[in-house]
Amino acid sequence: MSIQRDEERAETFALGSSVYGGRPTFALVRDETGNEATITLYELLPTEQADARQRRLERRRQQSSKTHPFHEVIGENVEGAEDWTWDDWVAMKVRRLSGSRLRCLLQLFDEALRDTDIDPSLITGTGSATVLIPEEPGVRLSLGFIGIKPLQRVDRMRALTRGVAQMSLEECYYWHAKCRSPNSPSGEKSLRVLLTNHIS
């Protein structure tokens, strides 16, 4: 097994929620202005881990995601936020979606949040909202947000959404590590090829 594959596997297993004691490690932020709604997915990370990822991306001359202090993005009154200390945590934007991409991904919200206490309508409804979500559904949603962003055709967007919804949790963790790892610059493209290449 190659060193790169070993590093990807290590990053996959390092994502387990037990590492942070069940703390939410993703957040969905819905903004609505006029008739346009956007939903942004953030990954929540300790500052030290986020900085290390940024340095690895910069060394490989890859685009990095901007980090924001936790409370700058999440605010003070989000349900569940008070259960944890966030002083040394940041929010790293995964992707922001709107329009047809967001509409095609809506079924994935129901699928990803099915086994949680979170009502998907908090995010898929109307108005502005911020919801902290556990790691497992966050990893699945992250694949949807990352995979769908550059797609133009609705049939490909729907195929990608179905494919992510049908993945096992182990597959989701593997692909999440592959898509987010500086060691795997073609991970996102490989995910899209896997889930949409059957569409001519």
Side-chain angles (χ1 to χ4, degrees), residues 6-17:
D6 285 341
E7 288 175 354
E8 287 172 4
R9 286 174 57 82
E11 190 163 332
T12 299
F13 294 120
L15 289 170
S17 26

Side-chain angles (χ1 to χ4, degrees), residues 19 33 37-38 46 48 52 71 77 80 89 97 102 120 131 136 149 171-172 180 200:
V19 173
T33 51
T38 63
E48 186 176 323
H71 290 295
N77 300 315
W89 283 65
L97 297 179
L102 180 55
V131 177
E136 292 178 3
K149 182 67 175 183
E171 288 175 301
C172 286
R180 301 294 277 168
S200 56

Side-chain angles (χ1 to χ4, degrees), residues 45 47 50-51 54 65-69 72-73 90-93:
L45 296 165
T47 303
D51 289 346
Q54 298 284 53
S65 299
K66 187 175 180 186
T67 60
H68 308 270
E72 182 182 298
V73 172
V90 294
M92 181 178 284
K93 185 170 86 170

